[in-house]
Amino acid sequence: MKRKNLLRKFISVSAAALMLAGVLAGCGGEAAEPAEEIGTEETTQTETTGSFRTLDEIKESGKIVIGVFSDKAPFGYVDESGEYQGYDVYFAERIAQDLGVEVEYVSTDPASRVEYLTTGKVDIILANFTVTEERAQQVDFALPYMKVMLGVVSPDGALISDVEELNGKDLIVVKGTTAETYFEKNYPDVTLQKYDEYADAYNALLDGRGDAFSTDNTEVLAWALSNPGFTVGIDALGNADTIAPAVQKGNTTLLDWINSEIEALAGENFFHADYEATLAPVYGEAADPDALVVEGGVVE
């Protein structure tokens, strides 16, 4: 299937495609050192749970600490100048602006997102965080701002176009992602090749160490468009999920503020503006932002 036709099909049945580490205006922030991985996302709250900072404490400190990706364009990545950029970072900058504080970014990987909240390393996670029942038992999710499903990308010469074709093959996934959970639960005959970082997962696919790679369809479809020789043969897999900010369990003052912020931003179509600034330069007029963007926390 040609990538152009795949993009049009993807737009009509699921979330809009997005990607590419482009230059994004007004989404800066000083890059922090990558945070050390400290556990899997399934880790439950234990005696290591740290105390959270309330909304007033954050304001008084003059700084909010937000966990984002540093290697997952277009959601969160560090550009050549060492600045954080991406769809999530654009939102994070607005949060800090409306709170009247500075933002400090902490680089996280998928498996550490829950842990960084429960130990108080960050105030908010804005790292392409899919809402699931299991995660909701460990963190508090705010209203959603994006929709997503899973996709599978593979080499053109050995294209995977049906999930059953993965049986007995090596599928690359990133630890702590919904792709890992989905395939472990629904397709136990698929051998999962797991990596901690997205960059390592994509390099494994490029090097031929796996037969295919699965993560959010929004990401893999756009990655294939910028990497000749690869195609998303499966563009809509699993349930349609939502992406939302998360805070430590019980931090109601911060959670309530974020929810109010998301609702208020709908009045200016903020997330459509975010899309236009970070994603539209890649896909132009062909893509439908309404297939991806959630305004005011209301999923249509």
Side-chain angles (χ1 to χ4, degrees):
M1 182 182 298
K2 294 183 179 179
R3 285 189 288 272
K4 183 177 180 181
N5 292 335
L6 177 61
L7 176 59
R8 290 173 177 170
K9 174 185 174 186
F10 173 73
I11 292 170
S12 64
V13 299
S14 62
L18 48 136
M19 182 65 157
L20 200 66
V23 178
L24 311 176
C27 299
E30 184 177 354
E33 290 297 321
E36 179 183 359
E37 181 183 355
I38 56 178
T40 64
E41 200 167 56
E42 286 71 28
T43 303
T44 56
Q45 295 189 58
T46 64
E47 65 275 10
T48 62
T49 299
S51 59
F52 54 74
R53 299 198 303 160
T54 65
L55 181 65
D56 286 342
E57 289 171 336
I58 291 169
K59 289 181 177 180
E60 290 171 3
S61 74
K63 178 180 71 176
I64 188 162
V65 184
I66 301 179
V68 296
F69 287 131
S70 61
D71 66 346
K72 190 180 181 183
F75 305 107
Y77 64 96
V78 177
D79 67 16
E80 294 179 352
S81 300
E83 300 293 312
Y84 277 93
Q85 307 284 4
Y87 187 82
D88 290 338
V89 175
Y90 189 102
F91 181 29
E93 292 285 326
R94 181 59 181 267
I95 287 175
Q97 174 185 321
D98 289 350
L99 277 174
V101 299
E102 299 295 323
V103 59
E104 176 184 328
Y105 292 116
V106 173
S107 175
T108 185
D109 55 54
S112 299
R113 289 174 293 190
V114 167
E115 190 84 18
Y116 280 18
L117 283 175
T118 60
T119 57
K121 289 182 178 291
V122 299
D123 300 309
I124 305 172
I125 285 288
L126 276 182
N128 197 228
F129 209 11
T130 303
V131 179
T132 68
E133 291 183 4
E134 180 181 5
R135 291 168 179 169
Q137 295 176 0
Q138 303 174 72
V139 303
D140 284 339
F141 283 104
L143 294 171
Y145 61 94
M146 191 166 68
K147 300 175 283 191
V148 71
M149 295 180 75
L150 293 176
V152 178
V153 61
S154 53
D156 290 346
L159 184 64
I160 302 295
S161 57
D162 187 280
V163 69
E164 298 297 335
E165 297 173 6
L166 288 168
N167 288 335
K169 296 185 178 180
D170 289 335
L171 176 66
I172 298 167
V173 297
V174 177
K175 296 177 184 177
T177 62
T178 51
E180 178 189 27
T181 303
Y182 177 82
F183 279 96
E184 285 182 340
K185 179 179 179 180
N186 297 289
Y187 295 95
D189 292 333
V190 177
T191 302
L192 299 184
Q193 193 177 115
K194 302 181 181 182
Y195 292 87
D196 293 321
E197 306 288 346
Y198 282 95
D200 293 336
Y202 279 120
N203 285 334
L205 182 62
L206 289 167
D207 295 342
R209 284 176 274 153
D211 298 295
F213 174 45
S214 180
T215 189
D216 294 348
N217 54 6
T218 51
E219 181 185 349
V220 290
L221 196 147
W223 183 87
L225 290 174
S226 60
N227 287 270
F230 294 87
T231 295
V232 179
I234 303 174
D235 59 13
L237 183 64
N239 297 324
D241 295 314
T242 57
I243 303 295
V247 301
Q248 189 176 141
K249 204 76 174 172
N251 194 350
T252 55
T253 58
L254 182 56
L255 181 68
D256 290 346
W257 186 90
I258 296 172
N259 284 336
S260 296
E261 175 80 344
I262 290 173
E263 290 173 338
L265 290 175
E268 59 185 77
N269 282 328
F270 172 81
F271 290 105
H272 281 79
D274 189 348
Y275 179 96
E276 290 298 320
T278 62
L279 309 176
V282 177
Y283 291 100
E285 297 179 357
D288 177 13
D290 290 331
L292 169 72
V293 172
V294 175
E295 294 283 5
V298 179
V299 180
E300 298 179 354

